[in-house]
Structure formats: structure tokens, C-alpha cells
Amino acid sequence: MGHLLIENRSGLVVDTELTQPIGFAERDCATDMLARLPTTKRQRAGPRVHPPQMSRRTRATTAPRSLAAPPVGVSQRIRKRVEEPFGWIKTVGAGRKVRYIGQDRTRAWFKTEAAVYNLIRICALDAAT
């Protein structure tokens, strides 16, 4: 399961990780990726983890009190930017099927695809200005 940490303003990928698809992988990986950020960026931006809600039949991963907080509404509006790199990797980056054996090779491929997405996104941002 691929995980991305996105910068809200530009939509650039800040960090990537690949984990086994277990029940709490998103939440655990998100806190790990936020911990890897430099402390100055964490203090200035004040990031919070907002994993998507699970279905009604399964246990929710987000506490109800955190869903009522104002930053959650912002993250729900910006969620489209998070889905864009996944869509690009799936279609243009040929990521529909995993083509490598082993988690290390697949992780390296996923990080490379995210880096290529960043290059294309930077070119698009530069052309827009």
C-alpha cells in the first residue's frame, strides 16, 4: 500500500512510503512520515493526521472529536490534490500492476515514480507563473 505526504499549496510530494496493507497502516505510516519532517516545518505548519474514514461496518481510525476540528474541513477540500499523484502513477507511471518482486524493489519504484511526478508538477507550476 503506497502512502504520500503532500504539501498543501503546491501539491508536491514531500515523502513516500510503501507498507503492507494491514488495518492501521495509514495511521501509523502518517505519524512516521510527519515525524521525519524537519522540526521547523512541523512547528510552523502544525500538520495533523487526517486519514479517511473507514466504512460503517469496520472500526473508524479517526476519533470523532478530531473530525469536527476546522483543519479537517480544509484537508477534505484539498484531498483531490492527494489523489492526483496516485492517479498519475496508476495511469502514466504504469502502476496498475506491481511488476517487481519484493517490497524493497517495489518501494524504490514507487519513490521513483513520485519523484518523476514532482518533476512534471514543478514544470506545470513554473509554466503557470
Side-chain angles (χ1 to χ4, degrees), residues 1-5 15-19 24-36 49:
M1 174 181 275
H3 307 278
L4 297 174
L5 182 64
D15 194 6
T16 63
E17 190 57 57
L18 194 74
T19 61
F24 298 105
E26 280 187 341
R27 182 179 60 198
D28 296 340
C29 187
T31 54
D32 291 343
M33 286 194 296
L34 288 176
R36 286 195 295 246
V49 177

Side-chain angles (χ1 to χ4, degrees), residues 89-128:
I89 289 170
K90 188 175 179 182
T91 57
V92 179
R96 271 193 201 278
K97 286 185 175 181
V98 177
R99 61 183 71 217
Y100 298 105
I101 296 174
Q103 192 170 0
D104 291 336
R105 283 185 173 182
T106 306
R107 179 181 289 120
W109 170 82
F110 185 66
K111 287 183 181 252
T112 304
E113 291 297 320
V116 172
Y117 173 80
N118 268 354
L119 290 173
I120 292 172
R121 179 78 180 142
I122 289 169
C123 291
L125 290 172
D126 188 40

Side-chain angles (χ1 to χ4, degrees), residues 37-60:
L37 281 177
T39 55
T40 56
K41 288 191 178 195
R42 278 187 299 189
Q43 290 170 352
R44 183 179 57 204
R48 292 178 49 188
V49 177
H50 301 296
Q53 279 287 72
M54 297 175 78
S55 68
R56 292 181 189 156
R57 289 179 274 150
T58 59
R59 190 172 65 167

Side-chain angles (χ1 to χ4, degrees), residues 75-96:
S75 92
Q76 293 299 322
R77 284 194 309 269
I78 298 178
R79 189 172 294 278
K80 181 181 179 290
R81 284 195 198 136
V82 176
E83 298 299 327
E84 286 176 1
F86 283 114
W88 187 89
I89 289 170
K90 188 175 179 182
T91 57
V92 179
R96 271 193 201 278

